[in-house]
Amino acid sequence: MKRRPRRVVAATSAALVMAAGSTVVAVVAIQLILGERPWIDWNAVAGLDWRALPIAISGGTLVLLGLLLGCAAVLPGRLTVLPLRPDSGVSRPSYRSTLRRAAANVDGVSRAKLTVRRRRLSAKVRTDRTNTTGLADAVRSALAERLGRIDPATSPRISVKVVRRTK
Protein backbone atom coordinates (compact mmCIF):
# COMPACT_ATOMS: atom_id res chain seq x y z
CA MET A 1 0.00 0.00 0.00
CA LYS A 2 1.61 3.20 -1.20
CA ARG A 3 -0.66 6.18 -0.87
CA ARG A 4 0.58 9.49 -2.19
CA PRO A 5 -0.90 12.94 -1.63
CA ARG A 6 -3.42 14.33 -4.04
CA ARG A 7 -2.33 17.30 -6.10
CA VAL A 8 -5.28 19.49 -5.16
CA VAL A 9 -3.43 22.83 -5.16
CA ALA A 10 -1.75 22.24 -8.54
CA ALA A 11 -4.93 20.95 -10.15
CA THR A 12 -7.08 23.75 -8.72
CA SER A 13 -4.58 26.44 -9.76
CA ALA A 14 -4.32 25.09 -13.29
CA ALA A 15 -8.11 24.79 -13.55
CA LEU A 16 -8.64 28.37 -12.31
CA VAL A 17 -6.05 29.79 -14.73
CA MET A 18 -7.56 27.90 -17.67
CA ALA A 19 -11.11 28.86 -16.65
CA ALA A 20 -10.16 32.54 -16.37
CA GLY A 21 -8.42 32.51 -19.75
CA SER A 22 -11.31 30.70 -21.40
CA THR A 23 -13.81 33.13 -19.87
CA VAL A 24 -11.94 36.15 -21.19
CA VAL A 25 -11.69 34.65 -24.68
CA ALA A 26 -15.39 33.69 -24.67
CA VAL A 27 -16.52 37.13 -23.48
CA VAL A 28 -14.39 38.91 -26.10
CA ALA A 29 -15.68 36.57 -28.83
CA ILE A 30 -19.30 37.20 -27.81
CA GLN A 31 -18.68 40.97 -27.73
CA LEU A 32 -17.22 40.84 -31.25
CA ILE A 33 -20.17 38.76 -32.52
CA LEU A 34 -22.65 41.24 -31.02
CA GLY A 35 -20.76 44.16 -32.52
CA GLU A 36 -19.85 45.72 -29.16
CA ARG A 37 -16.50 47.12 -28.14
CA PRO A 38 -14.46 44.17 -26.74
CA TRP A 39 -12.59 44.18 -23.43
CA ILE A 40 -9.36 43.42 -25.25
CA ASP A 41 -8.52 45.31 -28.39
CA TRP A 42 -6.75 42.72 -30.56
CA ASN A 43 -5.23 45.46 -32.74
CA ALA A 44 -3.61 47.00 -29.68
CA VAL A 45 -2.31 43.59 -28.59
CA ALA A 46 -0.88 42.91 -32.05
CA GLY A 47 0.74 46.34 -32.11
CA LEU A 48 2.66 45.82 -28.82
CA ASP A 49 6.43 45.80 -28.80
CA TRP A 50 6.93 42.17 -27.80
CA ARG A 51 10.61 42.82 -27.02
CA ALA A 52 9.76 45.29 -24.23
CA LEU A 53 11.02 44.39 -20.76
CA PRO A 54 7.62 44.30 -18.95
CA ILE A 55 6.20 41.94 -21.57
CA ALA A 56 9.27 39.69 -21.42
CA ILE A 57 9.09 39.55 -17.61
CA SER A 58 5.35 38.78 -17.71
CA GLY A 59 5.85 36.06 -20.31
CA GLY A 60 8.75 34.52 -18.41
CA THR A 61 6.73 34.55 -15.20
CA LEU A 62 3.80 32.81 -16.87
CA VAL A 63 6.08 30.19 -18.43
CA LEU A 64 7.75 29.54 -15.05
CA LEU A 65 4.35 29.27 -13.34
CA GLY A 66 3.19 26.80 -16.00
CA LEU A 67 6.34 24.70 -15.58
CA LEU A 68 5.95 24.66 -11.78
CA LEU A 69 2.30 23.60 -12.03
CA GLY A 70 3.21 20.93 -14.58
CA CYS A 71 6.01 19.55 -12.38
CA ALA A 72 3.76 19.57 -9.32
CA ALA A 73 1.13 17.62 -11.22
CA VAL A 74 3.54 15.05 -12.72
CA LEU A 75 6.17 14.41 -10.04
CA PRO A 76 5.15 12.06 -7.22
CA GLY A 77 4.74 13.50 -3.76
CA ARG A 78 5.92 12.11 -0.44
CA LEU A 79 4.18 8.98 0.72
CA THR A 80 1.41 9.72 3.21
CA VAL A 81 1.00 6.05 4.10
CA LEU A 82 4.26 4.17 4.55
CA PRO A 83 4.15 0.54 3.43
CA LEU A 84 4.66 -2.27 5.95
CA ARG A 85 5.60 -5.85 5.09
CA PRO A 86 2.35 -7.80 5.60
CA ASP A 87 0.62 -5.68 2.93
CA SER A 88 -0.52 -2.90 5.23
CA GLY A 89 0.51 0.65 5.94
CA VAL A 90 0.96 3.28 8.61
CA SER A 91 0.63 7.05 8.45
CA ARG A 92 3.82 9.07 8.51
CA PRO A 93 2.94 10.99 11.74
CA SER A 94 2.03 7.78 13.55
CA TYR A 95 5.26 6.11 12.40
CA ARG A 96 7.35 9.08 13.55
CA SER A 97 5.63 9.43 16.94
CA THR A 98 6.01 5.71 17.70
CA LEU A 99 9.72 5.87 16.94
CA ARG A 100 10.09 9.13 18.88
CA ARG A 101 8.57 7.49 21.96
CA ALA A 102 10.99 4.58 21.62
CA ALA A 103 13.95 6.97 21.52
CA ALA A 104 12.61 9.11 24.40
CA ASN A 105 12.15 6.04 26.63
CA VAL A 106 15.89 5.32 26.64
CA ASP A 107 17.43 6.05 30.05
CA GLY A 108 19.18 9.44 29.98
CA VAL A 109 17.22 10.94 27.07
CA SER A 110 15.24 14.02 28.05
CA ARG A 111 13.89 14.84 24.59
CA ALA A 112 13.97 13.25 21.14
CA LYS A 113 13.34 14.69 17.71
CA LEU A 114 13.05 12.43 14.65
CA THR A 115 13.20 13.09 10.95
CA VAL A 116 11.82 10.35 8.69
CA ARG A 117 13.10 10.27 5.12
CA ARG A 118 12.67 7.65 2.43
CA ARG A 119 15.66 5.50 3.41
CA ARG A 120 16.96 7.33 6.44
CA LEU A 121 15.84 7.90 10.01
CA SER A 122 17.63 10.70 11.85
CA ALA A 123 17.27 11.08 15.60
CA LYS A 124 18.46 14.06 17.59
CA VAL A 125 18.29 13.38 21.32
CA ARG A 126 18.93 15.75 24.21
CA THR A 127 20.34 14.62 27.51
CA ASP A 128 21.27 16.09 30.87
CA ARG A 129 24.14 13.64 31.30
CA THR A 130 27.68 14.90 31.35
CA ASN A 131 28.98 11.58 30.01
CA THR A 132 27.13 10.60 26.84
CA THR A 133 29.19 7.51 26.06
CA GLY A 134 26.97 4.72 24.77
CA LEU A 135 23.80 6.80 24.68
CA ALA A 136 23.77 7.01 20.87
CA ASP A 137 24.15 3.23 20.63
CA ALA A 138 21.35 2.69 23.15
CA VAL A 139 19.02 4.96 21.19
CA ARG A 140 20.02 3.30 17.91
CA SER A 141 19.30 -0.17 19.31
CA ALA A 142 15.94 0.99 20.77
CA LEU A 143 14.95 2.39 17.37
CA ALA A 144 16.12 -0.77 15.58
CA GLU A 145 14.12 -2.92 18.01
CA ARG A 146 10.97 -0.82 17.46
CA LEU A 147 11.49 -0.91 13.69
CA GLY A 148 11.74 -4.70 13.95
CA ARG A 149 8.30 -4.78 15.59
CA ILE A 150 6.79 -2.34 13.09
CA ASP A 151 8.37 -4.25 10.16
CA PRO A 152 8.49 -1.56 7.45
CA ALA A 153 8.80 -2.65 3.81
CA THR A 154 12.19 -0.91 3.57
CA SER A 155 14.29 -0.57 6.71
CA PRO A 156 15.78 2.90 6.99
CA ARG A 157 19.37 3.62 7.94
CA ILE A 158 19.43 5.01 11.49
CA SER A 159 21.60 7.96 12.49
CA VAL A 160 21.64 9.36 16.01
CA LYS A 161 23.03 12.66 17.23
CA VAL A 162 23.33 13.26 20.98
CA VAL A 163 23.22 16.84 22.25
CA ARG A 164 24.11 17.69 25.83
CA ARG A 165 21.90 20.35 27.36
CA THR A 166 23.90 23.14 28.95
CA LYS A 167 22.66 24.69 32.15
Side-chain angles (χ1 to χ4, degrees):
M1 169 185 280
K2 292 184 179 180
R3 187 173 301 153
R4 295 196 183 270
R6 290 181 269 162
R7 299 303 189 155
V8 175
V9 174
T12 304
S13 301
L16 287 174
V17 167
M18 288 190 296
S22 299
T23 303
V24 168
V25 169
V27 167
V28 169
I30 291 170
Q31 287 175 334
L32 287 173
I33 290 171
L34 295 177
E36 295 179 13
R37 185 168 182 254
W39 284 350
I40 298 173
D41 183 14
W42 296 112
N43 293 328
V45 171
L48 287 175
D49 181 15
W50 292 97
R51 292 170 289 178
L53 185 62
I55 293 176
I57 290 173
S58 301
T61 303
L62 289 174
V63 167
L64 182 63
L65 179 65
L67 287 173
L68 287 174
L69 286 174
C71 286
V74 172
L75 296 176
R78 250 181 17 177
L79 292 173
T80 56
V81 175
L82 302 173
L84 301 179
R85 286 207 201 278
D87 198 28
S88 62
V90 64
S91 70
R92 185 176 292 273
S94 175
Y95 184 72
R96 185 177 39 242
S97 67
T98 300
L99 293 171
R100 186 183 318 120
R101 270 194 307 274
N105 287 339
V106 173
D107 187 36
V109 174
S110 59
R111 195 170 134 208
K113 181 179 178 184
L114 263 72
T115 304
V116 177
R117 299 268 189 242
R118 177 177 281 184
R119 292 187 175 97
R120 189 169 180 213
L121 175 65
S122 301
K124 184 177 180 181
V125 295
R126 293 191 183 272
T127 183
D128 294 328
R129 290 183 178 179
T130 55
N131 185 5
T132 61
T133 306
L135 188 58
D137 292 331
V139 170
R140 192 174 292 110
S141 66
L143 289 172
E145 188 270 329
R146 185 64 57 97
L147 279 170
R149 280 196 271 158
I150 295 173
D151 199 22
T154 56
S155 294
R157 193 176 80 229
I158 301 171
S159 65
V160 178
K161 181 179 178 184
V162 177
V163 178
R164 256 189 306 160
R165 194 170 7 175
T166 57
K167 292 183 179 182

